[in-house]
Amino acid sequence: MTESLKSLLVHQAASVAFKPPDLDAIAHGNRRRVRRRRAVTVLAAAAAVAIVASAVVALSSLDNRRPDVVGPLPTGAVSWAMGSTIHNGPDTIEVGHTVRAYVRTTVGFVTVDEADNVYSVTDRGVQQIGRAAAVPKDGREFVRLFSDPRGTLAGWVGTGPSEQTGLAMLVHDQATGQTRTFEAGGSGGAVFFAIDDRTAYWRATPDRVVAVDVDTGDERQLAGADVAGNFAILSVENGVLAFSRNYQPFGNVTSLRVGRSIDAAREFTFGENAEADDAMRLSPSGAWLSYLWFQFDGPPQHDKVLAITAQVRDTGTGELVSLNVPPGGLSVPIIWLDDTTLQVLAIGAVPGQVATQAHLYACRVPDGTCAVAVDLPAAALDGNALVLPTGRSVSE
Amino acid sequence: MASQNWATFVEFVAARSSALQRAAYLMVGDVGLAQDLVQEALVKTCGAWSRLRDPGAAEAYTRKVIATTAMGWFRRRAWSAERSSGQPPDRPAPGHADGVTDRAWLWQCLLQLPPRQRVAIVLRYYEDLSEAQTAEAMSCAVGTVKSQVAAGLAKLRALVGDELLLPPETHEVVTS
């Protein structure tokens, strides 16, 4: 070898191309959004812990399998997926395609594969029910699925019945097997927010956030043109909405309101120099709110992450509930299994050390007790194969 | 920022951002991260522009932000489960190794170094900074720079073998 270290560095640095810095963003001081989103992304990757390359290779060979007879249905058990297998409590379900993201309903699961195909997984088998459209976020594109785990509907942003119709909101009822298509228009991008029982929440056009009765098609406007751009619904359960009026697409949530209507909602704050990830969830009754909380070391010019904590709040009183997961690691709230039980991913790592184990816990509120529900293999901490029932892909 | 200051800042960005991005890339090993890192650093430089006065000071300031932020990012990544295997990547088989594959292999070995060691090596051997300048950029003591560079080079030699031709001074055993 004749390469010196110096020439290697020079050659390597010259071998890649860079986009010029965004002067407009610099002028507006947008670094906080970029960096803090980056911090979340890194941690979200950890939250979406996955399995070693060898396991990925082994599992990829399963992709051509035919689906098993689908037996067990969601029962509120702790759930996770890897490759083409969904684990639901003690049961495993082979769905015949790589599960990129999935959600649960009372009837089964709805999944999306690597090609954006959407499937319904029920005791009637696995059936493709549509295609999801990737939507831009943080300079990348993602697909998301939505459902009410206590209902039978699942939804996603997809394409309409023809190429000309563009994006559409699609809602599938696993109880009937029917899919309804709601047209989305405008150039601002369609955003699906949530499903609560028979009501879906979305911004189909840039100037309106609406609640739609999926059965009748009746719409109720929640935000108009003056505020719709930064209005985001983060979770809806039992008619209780968690929403933000100043949501920034590249940032975390800095303020939040929870209530049964937009005008009569309680405001929650996260403390000085603190923010929350936007993947927050209300419990089925709306009594509790779970989210991942970030504490930074100061205002925007200082953005070292001091603490990251899984938090649960009583939405009636605002009081925090402490979850008794092992200290020193990273714990991420995933989904409510029932109104007082939260599925939590805990990664056993301490600052400066490599994480060596991950578990799925079932944590109960308000006492905060947690019990290990699933031991994920140590190898799960490499890669991006583990998928959790949030409707989001691991890479997001 | 006053319009004249903004104009000189834009000139600085146009003249130096590519070099800063290349150095950042060598530190973090990822183009996207490097771009974010430099964007972040330039925001801070912009905020401090009025007291930096000359482009040399601005570049040193920006480089310092890049180095310290890169090390901070790595700390967070390690904390949140990314890992270095501690093992060298597979070396190309004899007979297949040409300049390109050797470079790729050496690059992979460099990426195995702990972040502070890699940042120190990039500043010393890519940016050609003195030990004192490197210490300033890393916000640490000169002795720390010496030990980080020595440890990094020792690990590189262990990974790639003695046939790697390093600059003469890099073969010195530095203790501090």
Side-chain angles (χ1 to χ4, degrees):
Chain A
M1 183 186 296
T2 57
E3 288 288 339
S4 73
L5 180 57
K6 169 76 176 176
S7 65
L8 160 77
L9 294 172
V10 171
H11 188 279
Q12 190 69 34
S15 67
V16 292
F18 300 94
K19 295 178 186 172
D22 184 344
L23 285 168
D24 186 55
I26 291 172
H28 290 88
N30 279 354
R31 79 292 201 187
R32 186 185 191 204
R33 297 181 194 175
V34 173
R35 280 297 310 282
R36 294 195 174 183
R37 187 70 228 177
R38 169 77 55 188
V40 175
T41 301
V42 169
L43 289 155
V49 192
I51 313 300
V52 282
S54 58
V56 172
V57 171
L59 286 163
S60 66
S61 66
L62 298 177
D63 291 348
N64 294 326
R65 287 186 192 172
R66 298 305 305 158
D68 291 343
V69 173
V70 178
L73 301 173
T75 57
V78 169
S79 174
W80 56 288
M82 196 170 69
S84 57
T85 304
I86 296 174
H87 301 262
N88 186 52
D91 304 309
T92 59
I93 303 161
E94 170 59 39
V95 299
H97 57 266
T98 298
V99 178
R100 182 180 175 192
Y102 77 105
V103 292
R104 60 194 303 166
T105 72
T106 56
V107 181
F109 301 97
V110 172
T111 66
V112 62
D113 70 9
E114 298 286 357
D116 301 341
N117 298 308
V118 181
Y119 301 86
S120 173
V121 179
T122 69
D123 59 2
R124 296 188 296 274
V126 179
Q127 179 188 10
Q128 184 176 345
I129 54 175
R131 277 178 57 83
V135 294
K137 179 187 176 188
D138 295 4
R140 295 185 290 164
E141 292 188 328
F142 299 98
V143 296
R144 279 189 186 179
L145 300 172
F146 300 84
S147 76
D148 181 347
R150 261 58 56 182
T152 63
L153 301 180
W156 63 94
V157 178
T159 51
S162 70
E163 292 293 328
Q164 287 71 34
T165 55
L167 292 178
M169 304 303 194
L170 293 105
V171 181
H172 178 81
D173 189 337
Q174 285 197 300
T176 65
Q178 300 297 309
T179 301
R180 287 202 62 177
T181 300
F182 298 84
E183 193 172 319
S187 57
V191 180
F192 206 124
F193 289 124
I195 292 177
D196 177 32
D197 193 17
R198 310 297 296 180
T199 303
Y201 297 79
W202 57 55
R203 183 169 56 225
T205 58
D207 58 345
R208 294 182 76 220
V209 173
V210 295
V212 179
D213 184 312
V214 173
D215 297 315
T216 65
D218 293 342
E219 288 188 359
R220 176 166 53 94
Q221 179 169 305
L222 301 178
D226 52 338
V227 295
N230 291 325
F231 187 96
I233 296 174
L234 303 162
S235 182
V236 188
E237 294 288 351
N238 192 34
V240 178
L241 298 99
F243 63 95
S244 174
R245 292 180 184 272
N246 61 348
Y247 179 76
Q248 302 291 341
F250 289 92
N252 300 327
V253 178
T254 54
S255 71
L256 177 75
R257 290 173 183 266
V258 177
R260 290 195 173 275
S261 76
I262 300 301
D263 299 322
R266 181 192 186 102
E267 182 165 15
F268 288 83
T269 58
F270 299 108
E272 189 175 2
N273 301 320
E275 300 175 349
D277 187 27
D278 61 3
M280 51 182 59
R281 287 182 181 273
L282 288 159
S283 67
S285 70
W288 307 96
L289 179 71
S290 63
Y291 54 88
L292 191 62
W293 178 83
F294 295 83
Q295 174 73 60
F296 296 90
D297 69 339
Q301 64 268 32
H302 307 287
D303 56 5
K304 179 181 177 185
V305 179
L306 298 179
I308 305 165
T309 309
Q311 288 195 346
V312 175
R313 270 181 195 253
D314 181 326
T315 59
T317 65
E319 290 182 5
L320 283 172
V321 174
S322 296
L323 301 178
N324 295 315
V325 289
L330 173 65
S331 300
V332 183
I334 302 300
I335 190 173
W336 289 90
L337 303 174
D338 58 42
D339 199 48
T340 56
T341 310
L342 178 67
Q343 178 176 332
V344 173
L345 171 67
I347 303 167
V350 295
Q353 294 184 13
V354 170
T356 56
Q357 56 186 346
H359 303 285
L360 294 176
Y361 281 83
C363 295
R364 295 186 65 83
V365 293
D367 60 337
T369 56
C370 295
V372 174
V374 176
D375 282 321
L376 294 169
L381 293 169
D382 287 333
N384 287 319
L386 181 71
V387 183
L388 295 162
T390 61
R392 300 187 180 207
S393 61
V394 169
S395 57
E396 183 179 1
Chain B
M1 180 183 282
S3 58
Q4 185 174 356
N5 276 348
W6 176 250
T8 57
F9 174 76
V10 170
E11 284 178 18
F12 166 74
V13 172
R16 300 306 303 157
S17 61
S18 288
L20 292 167
Q21 285 172 324
R22 285 196 292 271
Y25 166 67
L26 294 174
M27 292 176 190
V28 300
D30 180 277
V31 172
L33 274 178
Q35 289 177 167
D36 277 2
L37 193 54
V38 172
Q39 178 82 14
E40 181 79 8
L42 288 173
V43 171
K44 293 177 179 175
T45 302
C46 183
W49 191 252
S50 59
R51 55 188 165 83
L52 292 173
R53 295 199 178 104
D54 70 81
E59 183 159 356
Y61 178 88
T62 309
R63 190 187 293 118
K64 182 173 185 171
V65 174
I66 290 171
T68 55
T69 306
M71 290 186 288
W73 278 5
F74 274 111
R75 278 196 292 275
R76 289 208 289 276
R77 292 173 76 181
W79 194 84
S80 61
E82 289 202 12
R83 72 172 74 189
S84 164
S85 68
Q87 300 296 319
D90 292 337
R91 185 173 188 172
H96 296 295
D98 54 18
V100 174
T101 55
D102 278 352
R103 269 200 302 271
W105 177 58
L106 183 53
W107 171 242
Q108 290 304 312
C109 290
L110 189 69
L111 294 179
Q112 297 286 313
L113 297 182
R116 287 173 66 83
Q117 293 176 14
R118 187 164 7 134
V119 168
I121 285 175
V122 169
L123 292 172
R124 287 283 283 124
Y125 297 110
Y126 177 73
E127 297 274 44
D128 290 325
L129 299 187
S130 67
E131 288 174 339
Q133 289 171 320
T134 303
E136 169 65 21
M138 294 177 67
S139 295
C140 67
V142 171
T144 303
V145 171
K146 290 180 178 179
S147 61
Q148 292 293 321
V149 170
L153 293 178
K155 183 168 185 180
L156 264 188
R157 278 197 292 272
L159 292 175
V160 304
D162 287 336
E163 68 264 50
L164 174 65
L165 300 180
L166 296 169
E169 68 271 26
T170 65
H171 290 286
E172 295 173 4
V173 176
V174 181
T175 57
S176 65

